[in-house]
Amino acid sequence: MADAGMLRFHVPEPEVRPGGTPDFSNVTIAEAGSVPRPDIDVDPRTIRDMAFSIIRVLNRNGEAVGPWAGLLSSEELLEGLRNMMTLRTFDARMQMAQRQGKTSFYMQHLGEEAVSCAFRKALAPGDMNFPTYRQAGLLIADGYPMVTMMNQIYSNEADPLKGRQLPIMYSSKEHGFFSISGNLATQYIQAVGWAMASAISNDSRIAAAWIGDGSTAESDFHSALVFASTYKAPVVLNVVNNQWAISTFQGIARGGSGTFAARGLGFGIPSLRVDGNDYLAVHAVAKWAATRARDNLGPTLVEYVTYRAGAHSSSDDPSAYRPKTESDAWPLGDPVVRLKNHLIKLGVWSDERHAQAEAEILDTVIAAQKEAESHGTLHAGGKPSTREMFEGVFAEMPPHLRRQRQQAGV
């Protein structure tokens, strides 16, 4: 009774620490095909339970089942598999390049390839993504040149961003990829504002906001939900829950809401959770949300339940905060393997063709890497001109910058 009346401070703890046995018993997984597909114009109040389930299409046998299945042809699925394999190979080569000192920094997508690759195929030309640093699949799946991506990573003489951005912080208006910001969550409210502007202009383009589980603790996330719900902005609000915000497990940012999707319920926003390692499910949910936005029905919040199998970045060592075998225990599997098995089940793919595709993709990525490195890397070869520091900001350069440029001799 000595503690009666004493307050206790609560700090959420992960299920297991390094050296322990991985435990995902807290991840409740619905049967594939069991979650209904509501009408596009559904009243959000009638589907609140979808914020606490997980939409899945691929079952354990590699079959596509349920009401969310059947939207993609075999050819489209094969393209999706190739895009994910390309992203994974691209990652491996660029991670190696960072270790060789050819670039200062890199971030992989290992285990999360389906989220961005499948989502991109649900959008239309002109739609704008406001991504974080782990959505390069949006570019890969849209045919953006790998050489150009590598030039940006190396900050070389052909870098389209002239060395002004941290490696992997790409930008391409033509491919609907807004400039990545190193400041967490800023893009979320920007996406909503862009979507509102599109609606004000009577345009047809929609926006997609992206954020990681940890960054939902930032105030910009909540501000975005306020504006999106109030003005019915044509935007898809994506939350990628990969279980870890650098070394902080997702329970810290999630708080007591139960799921990240549940954050949208208080704003009256339809909120869904989807198996982020299921290419078919990600595409189907993205298409549903994008159609709602385009039909003037307002925003949708989507939580992608996935797992960051690699390190947070090239500066991170995940073994310091989670068991080394945790990724192997993740119950939703590997997105590349799952789509591969589905295509084999359909009779349009095989282990032999997969191995051949891996070799072909590796050759393509290596060829792109050699071309990019011919323009320079971090410590060798061509670099952007110092003059570029002074360009691209003002329509008419102010006198003090002209003086500084003259003093620099550029």
Side-chain angles (χ1 to χ4, degrees), residues 317-334:
D317 176 13
S319 67
Y321 52 83
R322 69 187 190 189
K324 291 183 178 181
T325 58
E326 190 175 82
S327 62
D328 297 330
W330 176 242
L332 293 176
D334 181 314

Side-chain angles (χ1 to χ4, degrees), residues 47-63:
I47 59 167
R48 291 174 62 89
D49 60 322
M50 295 186 74
F52 300 96
S53 188
I54 298 180
I55 298 167
R56 299 175 60 224
V57 172
L58 292 175
N59 64 19
R60 301 295 181 188
N61 298 320
E63 300 162 328

Side-chain angles (χ1 to χ4, degrees), residues 232-273:
K232 288 194 172 183
V235 61
V236 183
L237 302 164
N238 295 310
V239 178
V240 182
N241 175 10
N242 66 13
Q243 312 305 310
W244 289 96
I246 309 184
S247 59
T248 303
F249 90 113
Q250 49 93 18
I252 297 290
R254 188 191 69 230
S257 63
T259 71
F260 290 95
R263 292 281 179 83
L265 298 180
F267 296 90
I269 297 175
S271 303
L272 286 64
R273 297 177 84 217

Side-chain angles (χ1 to χ4, degrees), residues 328-407:
D328 297 330
W330 176 242
L332 293 176
D334 181 314
V336 173
V337 172
R338 289 177 66 187
L339 184 53
K340 167 195 166 186
N341 290 341
H342 175 59
L343 289 167
I344 291 175
K345 194 84 173 179
L346 292 178
V348 297
W349 201 238
S350 66
D351 287 323
E352 294 74 22
R353 292 176 70 182
H354 192 84
Q356 181 182 354
E358 285 180 325
E360 293 170 352
I361 289 168
L362 178 59
D363 287 345
T364 301
V365 173
I366 289 175
Q369 186 175 4
K370 288 180 178 178
E371 182 179 344
E373 290 181 2
S374 71
H375 295 290
T377 61
L378 179 63
H379 296 299
K383 294 177 174 59
S385 169
T386 306
R387 182 186 181 90
E388 298 292 350
M389 284 196 302
F390 301 94
E391 304 290 345
V393 179
F394 296 96
E396 185 175 337
M397 190 177 295
H400 74 282
L401 287 185
R402 284 202 300 271
R403 287 194 300 271
Q404 289 177 23
R405 189 179 68 183
Q406 291 166 357
Q407 291 168 1

Side-chain angles (χ1 to χ4, degrees), residues 101-119:
K102 295 178 180 179
T103 183
S104 60
F105 183 76
Y106 193 70
M107 302 186 83
Q108 296 187 82
H109 303 71
L110 188 62
E112 301 180 43
E113 294 91 348
V115 176
S116 54
C117 288
F119 186 91

Side-chain angles (χ1 to χ4, degrees), residues 97-392:
Q98 191 278 331
R99 296 302 191 223
Q100 294 170 339
K102 295 178 180 179
T103 183
S104 60
F105 183 76
Y106 193 70
M107 302 186 83
Q108 296 187 82
H109 303 71
L110 188 62
E112 301 180 43
E113 294 91 348
V115 176
S116 54
C117 288
F119 186 91
R120 185 63 190 84
K121 293 302 182 180
L123 297 181
D127 293 340
M128 182 62 71
N129 285 281
F130 288 74
T132 75
Y133 38 67
R134 220 181 302 276
Q135 275 86 54
L138 295 169
L139 292 172
I140 293 286
D142 200 45
Y144 190 74
M146 283 190 288
V147 173
T148 306
M149 295 172 71
M150 291 173 177
N151 288 335
Q152 195 279 326
I153 292 167
Y154 289 143
S155 302
N156 61 26
E157 63 185 8
D159 175 6
L161 304 183
K162 314 299 183 185
R164 296 168 179 156
Q165 281 275 67
L166 186 73
I168 62 84
M169 292 192 175
Y170 316 104
S171 176
S172 175
K173 182 178 181 181
E174 295 76 18
H175 290 264
F177 196 94
F178 200 83
S179 304
I180 298 175
S181 170
N183 299 310
L184 298 179
T186 56
Q187 71 281 356
Y188 226 63
I189 189 68
Q190 292 165 357
V192 174
W194 191 97
M196 290 168 59
S198 185
I200 290 169
S201 303
N202 299 127
D203 207 325
S204 61
R205 298 171 295 169
I206 66 171
W210 293 88
I211 200 167
D213 50 273
S215 297
T216 61
E218 294 283 345
S219 59
D220 280 350
F221 171 77
H222 302 275
S223 298
L225 266 60
V226 170
F227 278 83
S229 62
T230 299
Y231 297 102
K232 288 194 172 183
V235 61
V236 183
L237 302 164
N238 295 310
V239 178
V240 182
N241 175 10
N242 66 13
Q243 312 305 310
W244 289 96
I246 309 184
S247 59
T248 303
F249 90 113
Q250 49 93 18
I252 297 290
R254 188 191 69 230
S257 63
T259 71
F260 290 95
R263 292 281 179 83
L265 298 180
F267 296 90
I269 297 175
S271 303
L272 286 64
R273 297 177 84 217
V274 61
D275 179 348
N277 290 16
D278 182 338
Y279 187 94
L280 285 77
V282 170
H283 176 269
V285 170
K287 196 72 175 177
W288 189 88
T291 301
R292 286 193 78 259
R294 225 177 293 281
D295 287 355
N296 287 304
L297 295 170
T300 304
L301 191 150
V302 181
E303 175 188 346
Y304 302 89
V305 183
T306 183
Y307 186 83
R308 193 194 80 212
H312 174 74
S313 73
S314 55
S315 304
D316 176 45
D317 176 13
S319 67
Y321 52 83
R322 69 187 190 189
K324 291 183 178 181
T325 58
E326 190 175 82
S327 62
D328 297 330
W330 176 242
L332 293 176
D334 181 314
V336 173
V337 172
R338 289 177 66 187
L339 184 53
K340 167 195 166 186
N341 290 341
H342 175 59
L343 289 167
I344 291 175
K345 194 84 173 179
L346 292 178
V348 297
W349 201 238
S350 66
D351 287 323
E352 294 74 22
R353 292 176 70 182
H354 192 84
Q356 181 182 354
E358 285 180 325
E360 293 170 352
I361 289 168
L362 178 59
D363 287 345
T364 301
V365 173
I366 289 175
Q369 186 175 4
K370 288 180 178 178
E371 182 179 344
E373 290 181 2
S374 71
H375 295 290
T377 61
L378 179 63
H379 296 299
K383 294 177 174 59
S385 169
T386 306
R387 182 186 181 90
E388 298 292 350
M389 284 196 302
F390 301 94
E391 304 290 345

